[in-house]
Amino acid sequence: MNERRREVLQMLAAGKITADEAEGLLAALEKQSPPVAGSAAEVPAKTKAKYLRVVVDAAKSGELGGPTKVNIRVPMQLLRAGVKLASLIPPQAQIYLDDALREKGLTVDLSQLKPENLEELIDGLNDMTIDVDDKDAKVAVFCE
Amino acid sequence: MIPLLAEVRVDSFKRLPKSNRSYPPRARLRLWIPLFLVWLLLLPLVLLLLPVMAVAALALRINPWRALTAFWGLFTGITGTNVELNDNKAAVRIRIF
């Protein structure tokens, strides 16, 4: 508790100011002072995820039934670059691609795949965690 | 940052068919690849091909500068990639620094 806040509370205790006046003074002090390190008022800056991790732990796989572990870490920058590359597809090629995807049952419009839309998606991936637990395998996909 | 170094490690295990135990690796491959030297060797070739690629991009109605920045982003984005695969028969690790 800093000195100014203490003085306001002391004035209130001494009856020199009313409760409303004390509240106004304290609010003004809070606006003026910067947040103290470690205080509840300080909101930590959200760190952006740098990597996409895929971890697979399969108890039995393959013809011999041995355990298999897969651990993949891909930088987010690579994903962003991949989308930027996809946005370079010529319009006439995009039409062919859209038709081919539609034949497979995927209604995707590749012309809407834009880098600015991807940034919002990647920001949302910060909190994404996918866990699949099966008796034979565990899969975890998350960002870090 | 462009990838400067790559580590490739492959361990191949001997394994009895009726057992799930794995034995010490019978074949081991460990490579440290100095990618910065590879890029130095490829640089003249890339510089020679740049005008050709620019013309091709214009012919396909693609902005050459955007294409170049996209490929550069892809190239620099590989740094930090780790791939590890382990099973009874082999362990493979690829890391790019």
Side-chain angles (χ1 to χ4, degrees), chain A residues 50-136:
Chain A
K50 289 186 180 177
Y51 301 102
L52 177 71
R53 292 280 306 274
V54 177
V55 179
V56 177
D57 191 352
K60 288 182 185 179
S61 68
E63 55 194 26
L64 296 172
T68 299
K69 292 185 182 179
V70 178
N71 184 357
I72 295 173
R73 186 181 80 168
V74 176
M76 285 295 199
Q77 190 181 350
L78 192 62
L79 300 177
R80 289 191 182 93
V83 172
K84 283 182 187 171
L85 206 59
S87 66
L88 293 173
I89 298 172
Q92 55 270 31
Q94 279 181 2
I95 297 170
Y96 286 124
L97 281 171
D98 289 343
D99 290 340
L101 288 169
R102 210 171 290 119
E103 283 175 13
K104 298 292 179 185
L106 294 167
T107 50
V108 176
D109 187 1
L110 287 174
S111 62
Q112 298 301 315
L113 192 64
K114 293 172 186 169
E116 51 269 20
N117 297 339
L118 180 68
E119 279 304 322
E120 207 175 320
L121 175 66
I122 288 182
D123 285 343
L125 287 177
N126 278 344
D127 300 321
M128 179 196 78
T129 303
I130 298 174
D131 288 315
V132 178
D133 280 341
D134 189 58
K135 59 175 183 175
D136 294 327

Side-chain angles (χ1 to χ4, degrees), chain B residues 17-97:
Chain B
K18 291 184 182 177
S19 167
N20 279 335
R21 288 186 308 159
S22 59
Y23 290 82
R26 64 174 176 179
R28 208 170 233 181
L29 171 69
R30 291 201 178 170
L31 287 176
W32 285 93
I33 303 170
L35 293 175
F36 60 95
L37 292 177
V38 175
W39 310 142
L40 278 175
L41 288 172
L42 290 177
L43 186 61
L45 185 65
V46 169
L47 288 173
L48 278 173
L49 288 175
L50 262 180
V52 176
M53 290 192 283
V55 169
L58 287 169
L60 292 170
R61 293 195 291 166
I62 296 171
N63 185 336
W65 180 247
R66 278 185 63 200
L68 190 64
T69 52
F71 276 109
W72 180 254
L74 207 62
F75 179 55
T76 55
I78 295 175
T79 308
T81 301
N82 283 3
V83 177
E84 290 181 26
L85 298 148
N86 293 308
D87 70 1
N88 266 5
K89 290 193 278 187
V92 178
R93 181 163 88 175
I94 299 170
R95 293 199 294 180
I96 298 176
F97 301 98

